[in-house]
Amino acid sequence: MTFTVAIDGPAAAGKGTISKAVAAHFGFAHLDTGLLYRAVGAKVLAGEAAIAAAEALDPADLENDDLRTPAVAQAASEVAVIPQVRAALVAFQQNFARREGGAVLDGRDIGTVICPHADAKLFVTASADCRAMRRFEELTAKGMDIAFETVLVDVKERDARDRSRATAPLVPADDAVLLDTSDLTIDDAVAQAIAIIEAARR
Ligand code: DC
């Protein structure tokens, strides 16, 4: 059985948490596609050329705790603008989506470009303030000394770049169900996502 769930949305909207919970609930595999771009971004920060880094990307490169920093997030958003970088990462994502037993992929262009025929599509959003506050709390909990304003500017800058790029911009697929998590607890957001996917399975 294959069943593909596409979960897209802007930075820190809750995609990651929702995707992991949904995958665990249905017993599906989960791919955080942002990690692919973060891994390429990290290689560029280390001096490699973006396209070559994307073409040589190894799944082992995703197992790196250092990919979660704001600097790597910005670098990821910058390399994500390059069409050849995106093209180099398509096959890996599409193969993952087709795996036996079901798959959840979260990112920016899963429902529009990578898996336009996904069985269920969600577009997870929240206000910029809300998303920046969540990211701020996540980073300070890890011991990072950073101001809320800096995180807010970062989130807005990354969204603007992700939304305005020419190739695979961040935009909801026409058939995606919108889920605004601004005023939802994590449990409520996950419950709504599960209900949306259950409806698609029927
Ligand atoms: O989901 P994330 O914050 O880890 O993503 C980091 C960056 O990677 C994001 O700002 C844009 C890019 N990205 C993308 O262009 N397409 C995806 N499917 C996932 C991420």
Side-chain angles (χ1 to χ4, degrees):
M1 184 255 348
T2 62
F3 190 92
T4 308
V5 181
I7 302 188
D8 291 304
K15 295 188 304 291
T17 308
I18 292 173
S19 301
K20 278 194 208 96
V22 158
H25 178 86
F26 291 101
F28 295 165
H30 170 228
L31 178 65
D32 170 358
T33 66
L35 279 182
L36 301 171
Y37 295 90
R38 284 175 184 257
V40 176
K43 285 176 184 283
V44 168
L45 291 178
E48 291 186 35
I51 298 169
E55 287 171 349
L57 200 69
D58 187 288
D61 296 332
L62 310 182
E63 316 285 327
N64 177 351
D65 285 344
D66 297 343
L67 299 181
R68 293 281 167 209
T69 66
V72 171
Q74 286 296 344
S77 173
E78 283 164 27
V79 300
V81 171
I82 305 168
Q84 295 94 322
V85 165
R86 307 199 67 83
L89 303 176
V90 168
F92 180 79
Q93 296 173 82
Q94 290 181 338
N95 288 337
F96 191 96
R98 280 193 291 264
R99 66 169 52 196
E100 263 310 299
V104 180
L105 287 82
D106 75 88
R108 303 291 188 290
D109 63 339
I110 308 303
T112 49
V113 174
I114 303 296
C115 305
H117 303 298
D119 301 285
K121 295 184 188 179
L122 277 80
F123 193 86
V124 181
T125 58
S127 70
D129 274 320
C130 193
R131 292 185 288 115
M133 183 50 79
R134 289 180 194 159
R135 194 40 59 87
F136 171 72
E137 286 171 353
E138 212 175 279
L139 294 171
T140 49
K142 281 190 199 159
M144 191 174 286
D145 181 19
I146 192 163
F148 171 73
E149 276 305 317
T150 309
V151 180
L152 181 62
V153 168
D154 252 40
V155 160
K156 285 185 173 169
E157 197 185 309
R158 201 141 68 87
D159 285 352
R161 194 187 298 114
D162 293 347
R163 287 198 168 100
S164 65
R165 67 180 175 225
T167 309
L170 169 66
V171 55
D174 289 341
D175 52 351
V177 180
L178 297 188
L179 179 56
D180 187 328
T181 65
S182 304
D183 300 317
L184 296 181
T185 63
I186 290 175
D187 287 351
D188 287 343
V190 169
Q192 291 199 19
I194 288 172
I196 292 164
I197 296 162
E198 285 288 9
R201 267 155 69 94
R202 281 197 290 271

